[in-house]
């Protein structure tokens, strides 16, 4: 069955972004609805799929990564306001049977993402 997963790598320190807060939102005509809030484990991953099986429905979604909070907790001195604070990634899920993996590579000054496997 289908599932949605994520993984965050801290490119400043060369390690998984353990402890980063992440929220998953479904974007619909009535506005965004928060589905899940979590903290990443020591490997920079959620403990399980963010969505799976019948919960994974076609549609538009947003992952919000608490980047500035994560780097502050690691002792990184950031300007106020930080260059990157909460990083939102909007994406679509078309096939409820597929595995969608949304990784984030991040530093206090840059990020990139792609559809992973």
């Amino acid at each position: 069955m289908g599932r949605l997963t994520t993984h965050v790598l801290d490119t400043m320190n060369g390690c998984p972004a353990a402890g980063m807060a992440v929220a998953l939102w479904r974007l619909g005509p009535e506005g965004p609805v928060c589905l899940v809030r979590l903290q990443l484990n020591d490997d920079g991953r959620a403990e399980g799929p963010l969505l799976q099986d019948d919960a994974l429905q076609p549609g538009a979604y947003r992952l919000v990564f608490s980047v500035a909070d994560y780097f502050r907790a690691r002792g990184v001195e950031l300007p106020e306001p930080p260059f990157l604070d909460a990083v939102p990634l909007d994406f679509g899920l078309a096939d409820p049977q597929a595995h969608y993996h949304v990784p984030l590579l991040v530093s206090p000054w840059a990020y990139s993402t792609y559809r992973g496997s």
Side-chain angles (χ1 to χ4, degrees):
M1 296 299 272
R3 67 188 190 276
L4 170 66
T5 57
T6 192
H7 183 204
V8 181
L9 296 174
D10 170 347
T11 59
M12 177 183 183
N13 296 295
C15 63
M20 182 180 285
V22 178
L24 173 65
W25 298 78
R26 180 170 174 93
L27 307 177
E30 296 83 34
V33 175
C34 187
L35 302 176
V36 177
R37 291 184 188 275
L38 60 104
Q39 291 209 311
L40 301 177
N41 66 18
D42 289 345
D43 195 32
R45 299 175 186 272
E47 289 297 328
L50 303 175
L51 295 174
Q52 65 182 349
D53 303 328
D54 292 339
L56 194 148
Q57 296 295 316
Y61 292 85
R62 174 179 295 148
L63 279 167
V64 180
F65 299 91
S66 297
V67 171
D69 290 345
Y70 164 79
F71 282 107
R72 283 189 190 107
R74 288 193 55 99
V76 177
E77 205 170 306
L78 300 176
E80 194 55 49
F83 182 69
L84 294 177
D85 193 352
V87 171
L89 295 179
D90 291 1
F91 58 96
L93 303 180
D95 180 359
Q97 302 301 313
H99 176 198
Y100 290 89
H101 183 65
V102 182
L104 182 72
L105 308 174
V106 69
S107 79
W109 308 279
Y111 67 91
S112 65
T113 190
Y114 55 94
R115 181 174 173 186
S117 58

